[in-house]
Amino acid sequence: MFVFVCAGCGAELTAPLTEVALPAEAHQQFGNGLQLPVLMEPGTYAVEPEPWGPPWRRWNEFTEEEAAARGVYAPVFALSDGLPGAIVVAPGDSRGTVLIPESAGGYCCGLAWTDGPNMACERCGLEVAARVDDCSLWQAVWFLPDAVRRVPFDGPAREPDAWTDLLAKGHATPASEPMARWAQQQETLWWRWSPRWEAAAGGALAHLLVASEGRPVTVPDGRVAHVFRNALDALLPAGPPPKRAVLAGPGLPAPGEDADIVLVPVHPQTGETWAAPAGTTADVVPIPGGVWLSMAFPERGAPVPATGGLPDGVLRDDPSAPQPMFSFRIDRRAFLRTLSRLPAVRAPWLREIYDEVDMFRHTDLF
């Protein structure tokens, strides 16, 4: 475990934290005017390996070689000229900081990172972080990598769960959840697809298209089909022999020899992609562990009979939870962000798909 301290005066700026994988939805902007929850679980932090935060440079300010050197292979709106290694924590895990009112810029209903850092060390005044809680953005505190230092904390170490433990705990990400618009009362919550699912689908679809090599792809029925089938059928040609994609991972049978693509989980704590069994030649498509778990074992967490009243804040699910008000849509920004960072996007057929989505075509899918 670690605490982060001010690089200027050494004051502690966080509670003791354990590192986990950066969530797929870390940079997501979801819907319009919606209240998103806290990004990180209490007691955890994650690191963004790419430069993130202002100042930003538009795509036309880069040469193709400069962008490729940064691992970006297709046009994006802008790239950060900040430092790599920003640290994200839950707002409740920050300590010893104060807001900078003149830098508290946001897009609409709250704080964002538009004016640079908006939090300073309470002791010495050094600008150290940006608090984000604007509508349609995940609530988080992003510490500047050059403004803080990581210091070991003398406490019990938290070892990552083994894959079997993750299965036993059943930390699946629900496919839908109740959400509210900014300033609405709790009684006006409405159900829609989970933003975590839509972000996960965006990243996974980019990898699926690369693995397809321009051929059709079949996916198993159920939640996998609900998420990917329409997009794959719309974006890939119908003529050539299809490739077969299947779910694979802990708790599932080994993929058969006829599997061309395997959809496997990413460990939510270590960021490690599950390793297919030796001898498997199928292409690997990573999916965030909680979403994969819900796809692979959809009955996990089903309601069971109980006696007595429900605790405050627990939603009754007999009958089952309400269905989302809208059809499932893959997160467009997550798809483009992932695909732009895969070298295969430079292939003409895949670049054509990228450009069409970037120009808001296929809006029924994204």
Side-chain angles (χ1 to χ4, degrees), residues 209-235:
L209 291 178
V210 171
S212 76
E213 298 179 315
R215 290 166 51 185
V217 173
T218 64
V219 294
D221 292 333
R223 289 185 169 180
V224 177
H226 194 95
V227 170
F228 296 116
R229 184 171 287 165
N230 287 343
L232 291 170
D233 290 348
L235 298 176

Side-chain angles (χ1 to χ4, degrees), residues 39-162:
L39 175 68
M40 302 298 297
E41 291 187 7
T44 68
Y45 76 95
V47 177
E48 170 54 76
E50 290 190 22
W52 187 252
W56 299 87
R57 290 168 60 193
R58 297 290 183 90
W59 176 257
N60 58 15
E61 299 177 44
F62 290 87
T63 66
E64 187 173 322
E65 292 74 19
E66 287 177 320
R70 295 184 54 167
V72 181
Y73 305 98
V76 295
F77 179 74
L79 286 172
S80 169
D81 252 358
L83 294 173
I87 301 106
V88 61
V89 307
D93 282 331
S94 63
R95 303 284 189 270
T97 58
V98 293
L99 284 173
I100 307 171
E102 59 271 22
S103 299
Y107 295 105
C108 183
C109 303
L111 305 175
W113 208 340
T114 55
D115 294 340
N118 57 30
M119 297 176 68
C121 173
E122 186 176 23
R123 181 189 293 176
C124 72
L126 180 68
E127 295 180 347
V128 293
R131 171 76 157 95
V132 177
D133 62 7
D134 205 351
C135 58
S136 296
L137 300 178
W138 289 88
Q139 297 186 40
V141 169
W142 290 86
F143 282 99
L144 280 61
D146 60 343
V148 295
R149 291 184 294 108
R150 193 180 72 168
V151 177
F153 176 77
D154 187 14
R158 175 182 169 185
E159 296 296 329
D161 290 325

Side-chain angles (χ1 to χ4, degrees), residues 14-26:
T14 70
L17 304 172
T18 300
E19 185 173 6
V20 297
L22 184 72
E25 64 277 7

